[in-house]
Structure formats: structure tokens, C-alpha cells
Amino acid sequence: MRLLFLAVLRPHTGNAVTAQRVRAHLEAAGHVCVLKDAFDFESPSEIANLILAENCEAALALHLYRGGRLLQGHQIPFGIIFGGTDVNEDANQEEKNTVMGRVLEEARFAVAFTESMKEMAQAQWPHAKGKIYVQSQGIATTPNAAFNWNTFLQRSEINHSADNLHIFLLICGLRQVKDPLYLVDAFSEWHQEEPSVYLVIAGPEVDPVFTREVKAKVRRAAGVRLIGEMPQEDLHAVVKNCFAVVNSSVSEGMSAAILEEFVHLAKRLLSEPALEKEIVVNGREYVRTYHSWQVERDTYQQLIRKLEGSTED
């Protein structure tokens, strides 16, 4: 089939990476996948013209609201993949909630990344209960073998022996929902106690106004560094070399209690190599079990078959 795939394709973001990976899965099954940025289109009529121009037989959208709303009423079958903001943010706005409900009525299938995301979606839109499938995101890392860690440290103005360094890496686009400033003060205080500890925030400047706020805060924070977006292979190399990866997001229910516990637990990780090793081993096994790239490929290749044939089939 010739498939139109709508997603938000801002470079070096999770959405773009997910979209590229799903497209590869579909093209491996012999489909032609026309990947377009949903933000380039303002109305379904523009999509109608695109469908005609590209001779698309079916469609897929990443994000129920941002992409799915553009696919309504075109007489071609489509499926959608939920984004986190669909159920955590947009569902709380009445107008968007109504639009997303109508999109789900028309969609042949919907994919949620987690069981909890599926449950939240079913609670919001009960009529979609039979068409929501859970498929966690597949993981395939490709660290740049030529990446120079010492050069990266120098560029990040981290003047400390790499052997005794403990870098905690926060990967996120600079926008408020990701809350990149959540840990800054705690890390800055810890760095003054233990100079080998740094927090490095890596990601694209998504929100220009908020980015200025982040830069100003980081400039005043000892032991905190802000680096821009990076090619995926280089970012994977940074992940491989850093001590630990941390996450912060308003939409994922971060609480003050987590902040109070975080530095205590992170210090324990520094002082207990056996615990660090156990977490790494368990993490690797968890990814192998629940985030299989091959399982993800099989799922999408099977689901896309639901778009074959007319709506009456």
C-alpha cells in the first residue's frame, strides 16, 4: 500500500525518532510510506490534496489530536498512535477531547505505548475500547563508535578527570511539560559537596521563551550543563558513557517526594557498585523483554493490514 504517515517531525525529538522507526517497519513489509510533518498542514482539505497528489490508499498518524484530526473524512482507512500529550494534556481540554473522540470513531486501530495509557484512553473514549492495542516502543541503540568522550567533556566545559566523573544525563526537548529545571537546584547543591557530580541536559530548543529561562537558570547553577540537540548516534554514545540517565516530566506525575528522595538514592548508587551493576543488568533484561524492536516491527506490520480493503470489509 501507499501510506500517508503524519507525525510531528521536529528534529532530534522522540516523536521524530519514533516516526522514523515505525516507517522503517512498514517499508520493510513492502509498503510505501510518505512521512509528512503534521505541523506543515492546517486543515483536512490540505491533506485531501496531498492524498490525491501522492495517491495514498491509507494513512497513519502519530498523535491522536495533532495528526489524527487531519485524517478525518477522507474516505481512506487510517490508524493512529497515541502520544503522551493526547491522554495527559489534550484530553483535559473539552474541544480537543471531542475532536479526538471523533477521530477514534473513524480509526481502524489505535496504538498505546503502555497499559496505563490504554486504560486512560478507554476511560475517556469508551467507544474505542475494542480497537486500542498496546505496543511498547522498540529499542535499538546505535552509538557512534568514533565519538570522543573527552572532547565532549571539554566542549561541555566539564574540567574533571573522566575516570572519577559521575554525569547524570537528562534528555528532553526544552519545553515546560518536560520540566528540565526540576532537578537543577538539587544537583547544584550536590555538585558543591561532590565536584565529580554533574547534571547534563541535552535536547533541542523547542519553546524559545522557555529555553531562555532554562539557559538563564543553568548559567547560575554550579555543576549543571546545557548542550544542544545532537545526532542520535552521538546521543547514544553519551548515554553509554554517562553514569546514569534521569527523567523529568510534568505529564508523568513527578512529585516533590521524588525530588526529596532523588539525591539520597543517587548518592547510594555512587557508593554501591554492586547496586549499579544490578540495575544495569535488570534494565538490559527489561528492555529485551518489554521493548523488543522485532516485536514492535511484527505488531505494526500486522496492524497495518487492518487498513487494507474498503471500510465495508
Side-chain angles (χ1 to χ4, degrees):
M1 286 188 294
R2 283 185 66 84
L3 297 161
L4 171 61
F5 188 5
L6 289 178
V8 177
L9 300 178
R10 189 180 289 113
H12 309 296
T13 60
N15 281 333
V17 171
T18 298
Q20 295 287 358
R21 194 177 64 252
V22 172
R23 178 173 71 168
H25 293 333
L26 301 179
E27 291 185 337
H31 302 292
V32 175
C33 199
V34 180
L35 182 58
K36 296 289 184 180
D37 193 332
F39 280 172
D40 288 342
F41 305 92
E42 294 183 358
S43 68
S45 63
E46 293 178 63
I47 296 297
N49 294 334
L50 178 64
I51 290 170
L52 284 173
E54 294 285 353
N55 195 28
C56 295
E57 304 162 75
L60 183 66
L62 174 55
H63 273 286
L64 179 56
Y65 183 77
R66 294 175 185 171
R69 65 190 174 91
L70 296 169
L71 295 178
Q72 291 178 277
H74 296 307
Q75 308 306 312
I76 64 169
F78 67 85
I80 66 100
I81 303 167
F82 285 104
T85 52
D86 285 331
V87 291
N88 294 322
E89 305 285 332
D90 292 342
N92 299 322
Q93 299 180 37
E94 186 177 351
E95 185 179 339
K96 289 183 177 180
N97 188 304
T98 301
V99 170
M100 292 190 287
R102 288 200 295 263
V103 173
L104 280 171
E105 285 177 8
E106 210 172 314
R108 294 276 187 97
F109 66 83
V111 177
F113 294 141
T114 64
E115 285 289 346
S116 62
M117 187 182 286
K118 176 183 176 180
E119 289 167 8
M120 290 171 70
Q122 289 180 162
Q124 289 287 342
W125 305 287
H127 63 273
K129 207 165 189 176
K131 61 174 70 171
I132 302 176
Y133 301 82
V134 176
Q135 175 55 57
S136 56
Q137 300 215 59
I139 302 297
T141 54
T142 53
N144 180 1
F147 186 83
N148 190 304
W149 180 237
N150 287 319
T151 300
F152 169 79
L153 294 178
Q154 290 170 9
R155 198 167 64 244
S156 304
E157 298 181 353
I158 296 175
N159 304 311
H160 200 282
S161 169
D163 295 335
N164 301 315
L165 201 57
H166 298 97
I167 287 186
F168 289 77
L169 180 67
L170 171 58
I171 304 169
C172 67
L174 299 186
R175 54 194 181 109
Q176 288 184 317
V177 72
K178 288 297 184 183
D179 205 9
L181 297 177
Y182 187 76
L183 292 171
V184 166
D185 288 337
F187 260 103
S188 188
E189 291 175 15
W190 187 13
H191 173 79
Q192 291 174 70
E193 297 172 15
E194 178 49 73
S196 71
V197 171
Y198 285 83
L199 173 66
V200 173
I201 304 170
E205 300 179 0
V206 178
D207 179 336
V209 175
F210 184 63
T211 293
R212 289 197 291 273
E213 181 183 336
V214 173
K215 287 181 175 178
K217 176 88 171 182
V218 168
R219 273 196 298 270
R220 299 191 300 268
V224 181
R225 299 291 185 267
L226 179 64
I227 60 175
E229 58 195 51
M230 303 175 69
Q232 189 181 42
E233 292 79 7
D234 288 353
L235 189 59
H236 287 173
V238 175
V239 170
K240 186 176 180 180
N241 281 279
C242 74
F243 179 73
V245 176
V246 297
N247 185 33
S248 177
S249 175
V250 173
S251 281
E252 290 164 19
M254 300 300 286
S255 67
I258 293 176
L259 178 61
E260 291 162 5
E261 291 174 15
F262 178 82
V263 172
H264 169 73
L265 294 172
K267 286 180 177 178
R268 183 184 167 200
L269 196 61
L270 260 64
S271 63
E272 297 184 29
L275 176 62
E276 178 193 354
K277 184 177 180 181
E278 180 184 352
I279 289 174
V280 169
V281 170
N282 289 345
R284 186 177 288 119
E285 179 62 20
Y286 182 89
V287 168
R288 189 190 67 79
T289 303
Y290 296 105
H291 294 276
S292 164
W293 178 88
Q294 186 61 53
V295 170
E296 182 188 53
R297 168 162 288 196
D298 293 343
T299 297
Y300 280 104
Q301 290 180 352
Q302 289 170 18
L303 284 176
I304 215 70
R305 292 175 190 161
K306 293 181 178 293
L307 304 184
E308 295 174 341
S310 68
T311 53
E312 285 77 27
D313 288 350

